[in-house]
Amino acid sequence: MSRPLQLKIAAHLMAFFFSLEFLLRLRSSQERQEQARLQHVAQRMHTAQARCVSLANERVELETSSASNWRPEWRLRDVCSSGRRSGLDTTEAEAKRALAEARKQWNEQRAKFLQTRRDREVISSIRDRQHQEYLIQQERREQQQIDDLFAMRRINQKG
């Protein structure tokens, strides 16, 4: 068998090769890591939101119980209730700060994740385009082989 024919057959049998495959795997891995970080931050934000809701419910309960059970002779309870309200105010303020910080972190992490996803999609689209070109070339090679076989048969029939 001649060398050019061997190369032609080898080229035909060769599978698709993407030179940036390593980079695509790296970008996919980075995207998964950023997504996991985003989920972690989202969980912290959800926990902070739940804490704020819980404290708001506690405040409503405190206000409701203070208003419905209040009697003029209960001055000591009023003082205790005031101390509890003050502590609740402080706790609520801390919870709101924690929620604001969690939202800020979530927005930052979301931006990182989206950028990482865009980076991966760019490499992926290059790969898809190259794969489509490979398939077109493969189909052309196959068609050329069919045409060559047909021409050889025709020559043999005439000869």
Side-chain angles (χ1 to χ4, degrees):
M1 201 181 285
S2 70
R3 180 89 174 135
L5 185 57
Q6 287 176 338
L7 291 175
K8 202 175 204 183
I9 291 172
H12 175 67
L13 296 176
M14 236 170 70
F16 173 68
F17 174 73
F18 180 56
S19 60
L20 299 176
E21 191 69 37
F22 173 76
L23 183 59
L24 179 60
R25 283 195 312 268
L26 176 66
R27 294 292 167 97
S28 295
S29 175
Q30 288 172 336
E31 181 183 4
R32 284 190 302 274
Q33 289 172 352
E34 293 299 331
Q35 185 176 23
R37 287 182 187 118
L38 180 62
Q39 288 171 342
H40 180 72
V41 172
Q43 181 61 39
R44 281 194 298 188
M45 186 174 70
H46 176 72
T47 301
Q49 285 174 333
R51 177 79 173 133
C52 286
V53 168
S54 172
L55 290 171
N57 289 341
E58 190 175 329
R59 176 175 294 287
V60 167
E61 184 181 307
L62 178 65
E63 296 297 330
T64 304
S65 69
S66 293
S68 65
N69 296 331
W70 188 81
R71 292 187 185 162
E73 62 270 10
W74 289 357
R75 298 298 292 165
L76 179 59
R77 182 171 182 196
D78 195 30
V79 169
C80 291
S81 177
S82 174
R84 187 171 172 206
R85 265 190 218 108
S86 175
L88 188 58
D89 289 342
T90 303
T91 305
E92 268 186 313
E94 289 172 7
K96 286 179 182 178
R97 277 193 299 276
L99 178 58
E101 180 62 27
R103 282 185 177 147
K104 179 184 171 197
Q105 288 175 350
W106 182 83
N107 285 326
E108 290 171 357
Q109 186 57 41
R110 182 175 178 269
K112 286 180 188 176
F113 168 70
L114 291 175
Q115 182 60 47
T116 304
R117 173 170 275 179
R118 280 190 294 272
D119 292 347
R120 194 248 333 135
E121 286 175 347
V122 166
I123 302 298
S124 184
S125 68
I126 291 170
R127 182 194 185 282
D128 291 344
R129 202 171 338 119
Q130 286 184 3
H131 187 253
Q132 286 301 322
E133 291 172 10
Y134 167 80
L135 292 176
I136 290 169
Q137 291 299 323
Q138 181 88 4
E139 289 174 12
R140 286 181 183 156
R141 281 191 297 273
E142 289 172 4
Q143 186 61 47
Q144 183 64 44
Q145 287 177 346
I146 292 170
D147 292 346
D148 290 347
L149 283 174
F150 181 73
M152 286 175 25
R153 281 187 184 164
R154 199 159 195 190
I155 291 171
N156 285 341
Q157 287 175 355
K158 286 183 181 179

